[in-house]
């Protein structure tokens, strides 16, 4: 949460009870600071901090080496997983629909187009810090929306940390462009045009056309960091929800039966009391 104002700068106490900002002391503008031991301590602390920063840089380099090592070790397993996923119809569509964030981007026609999605692949560059690439493989023989067999989007960070991205240009088939807001000709008899009339452009496929604010591309980060490591959890999420719904229905049915039994018991008790009164 962003604070409304910055905290006051830390200060060093002076012998007379007043104080001077630490920043000024570090810059050499110590002014009235006369405590020699405090000044010497500041200089030593600065040297120690330089050593800490150096170790942090070395640690980052070592961590990067470890990540690169295990990224290579994971590749055969990713390949094996993709081969098995290919045997499951609409696996990736189900994953996207079940994901709480991505599902908000999809409409009915997006889902229809994504039925032809066969494979998703995330490729991290050799220098992991420099970026990554996401590939979407489609069945072109059955795909009635576009001609591409692969749609890709790349994210890059240069040496200065400046972000950039590029993506595949989608080759839409006639009347199937989901990224354009539908416009219906009054004299047109095209059923597809009528279906898409007044419809907003697809958020999912428009993502491939976006090249701004690539440093905060939530969609790409969700796929790379959340879905790609374990897509199975989202594929199975639907089954878990169905089981929960069934349990809720069974519980409600049991409660209704209990209520009916209670009513029967109450009626029998009432009849017994009437007989006793007679």
């Amino acid at each position: 949460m962003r604070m409304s104002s910055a905290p006051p700068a830390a200060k060093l106490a002076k012998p007379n009870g007043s104080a001077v900002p630490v920043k000024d002391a570090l810059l050499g503008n110590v002014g009235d600071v006369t405590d020699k031991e405090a000044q010497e301590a500041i200089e030593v602390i600065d040297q120690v901090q330089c050593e800490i920063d150096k170790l942090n840089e070395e640690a980052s380099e070592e961590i990067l080496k470890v990540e690169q090592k295990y990224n290579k070790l994971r590749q055969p397993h990713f390949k094996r997983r993709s081969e098995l996923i290919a045997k499951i119809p609409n696996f990736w569509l189900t994953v996207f629909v079940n994901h709480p964030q991505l599902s908000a981007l999809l409409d009915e026609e997006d889902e229809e187009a994504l039925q032809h999605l066969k494979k998703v692949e995330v490729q991290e560059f050799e220098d992991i810090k420099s970026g990554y690439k996401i590939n979407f493989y489609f069945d072109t023989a059955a795909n009635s929306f576009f001609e591409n067999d692969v749609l890709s989007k790349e994210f890059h960070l240069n040496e200065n940390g400046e972000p950039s991205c590029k993506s595949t240009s989608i080759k839409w088939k006639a009347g199937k462009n989901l990224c354009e807001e539908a416009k219906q000709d009054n004299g047109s008899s095209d059923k597809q045009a009528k279906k898409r009339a007044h419809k907003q452009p697809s958020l999912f496929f428009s993502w491939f056309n976006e090249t701004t604010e690539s440093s905060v591309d939530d969609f790409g980060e969700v796929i790379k960091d959340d879905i790609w490591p374990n897509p199975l959890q989202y594929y199975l999420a639907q089954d878990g929800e169905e089981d929960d719904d069934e349990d809720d229905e069974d519980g409600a049915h049991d409660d209704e039966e209990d209520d009916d039994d209670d009513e029967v018991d109450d009626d029998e008790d009432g009849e017994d009391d009437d007989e006793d009164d007679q």
Side-chain angles (χ1 to χ4, degrees):
M1 177 175 66
R2 189 183 299 276
M3 302 297 292
S4 58
S5 60
K11 297 183 178 181
L12 291 175
K14 297 196 297 184
N16 60 5
S18 60
V20 64
V22 173
K23 180 179 179 181
D24 291 343
L26 293 176
L27 294 175
N29 300 326
V30 293
D32 296 332
V33 176
T34 59
D35 190 336
K36 183 177 180 180
E37 291 183 357
Q39 186 172 351
E40 291 176 348
I42 290 174
E43 294 175 355
V44 175
I45 291 172
D46 186 49
Q47 295 174 2
V48 173
Q49 188 61 50
C50 289
E51 294 298 324
I52 294 174
D53 293 341
K54 182 179 179 181
L55 287 174
N56 288 340
E57 292 178 2
E58 293 177 358
S60 296
E61 293 176 358
E62 293 299 320
I63 291 172
L64 178 59
K65 292 178 181 178
V66 172
E67 289 179 345
Q68 290 173 330
K69 172 185 176 181
Y70 282 93
N71 188 44
K72 290 181 179 179
L73 292 175
R74 284 191 290 263
Q75 295 311 308
H77 299 285
F78 286 149
K79 181 179 180 181
R80 174 60 174 159
R81 187 181 71 184
S82 293
E83 292 172 350
L84 295 171
I85 287 176
K87 300 179 180 180
I88 304 175
N90 295 328
F91 178 89
W92 287 108
L93 170 60
T94 304
V95 169
F96 289 173
V97 169
N98 287 346
H99 193 278
Q101 291 174 265
L102 297 192
S103 60
L105 301 177
L106 305 177
D107 61 21
E108 292 182 3
E109 287 187 308
D110 291 330
E111 294 180 17
E112 185 178 348
L114 289 173
Q115 288 180 3
H116 310 299
L117 179 60
K118 301 185 301 181
K119 176 182 175 182
V120 174
E121 178 183 53
V122 175
Q123 296 177 330
E124 295 191 88
F125 300 149
E126 183 68 21
D127 181 0
I128 297 177
K129 295 186 296 183
S130 66
Y132 60 95
K133 179 179 181 181
I134 305 177
N135 299 315
F136 301 82
Y137 297 83
F138 289 85
D139 180 4
T140 54
N143 190 351
S144 62
F145 287 87
F146 48 84
E147 298 176 1
N148 309 71
D149 56 349
V150 182
L151 297 180
S152 302
K153 188 160 187 177
E154 297 183 26
F155 303 87
H156 298 268
L157 282 177
N158 61 21
E159 295 179 354
N160 298 325
E162 298 173 345
S164 63
C165 65
K166 61 181 182 179
S167 59
T168 305
S169 177
I170 304 178
K171 300 177 181 178
W172 295 101
K173 294 184 178 181
K176 294 288 188 173
N177 191 338
L178 302 182
C179 293
E180 291 183 350
E181 185 170 1
K183 296 181 180 180
Q184 183 180 0
D185 184 353
N186 292 332
S188 173
S189 59
D190 188 346
K191 294 182 179 180
Q192 186 66 21
K194 292 181 179 179
K195 181 179 180 181
R196 288 193 54 79
H198 309 297
K199 189 166 187 241
Q200 295 299 318
S202 163
L203 295 175
F204 179 87
F205 288 102
S206 293
W207 172 69
F208 288 94
N209 299 329
E210 295 176 358
T211 58
T212 59
E213 300 183 0
S214 54
S215 61
V216 289
D217 192 299
D218 294 334
F219 185 21
E221 293 296 320
V222 164
I223 294 177
K224 180 176 74 73
D225 297 330
D226 190 14
I227 292 179
W228 176 247
N230 183 11
L232 185 62
Q233 63 178 323
Y234 293 108
Y235 179 81
L236 298 177
Q238 185 178 22
D239 294 337
E241 292 175 359
E242 289 178 353
D243 292 341
D244 292 340
D245 292 340
E246 291 178 358
D247 291 340
D248 293 340
E249 291 177 0
D250 292 341
H253 182 64
D254 292 340
D255 291 340
E256 290 177 357
E257 290 183 347
D258 292 339
D259 292 340
D260 292 341
D261 291 341
D262 292 339
E263 291 177 0
V264 172
D265 291 339
D266 292 339
D267 292 340
E268 292 178 350
D269 292 338
E271 293 175 357
D272 292 340
D273 292 339
D274 292 339
E275 292 177 356
D276 293 338
D277 292 340
Q278 294 176 357

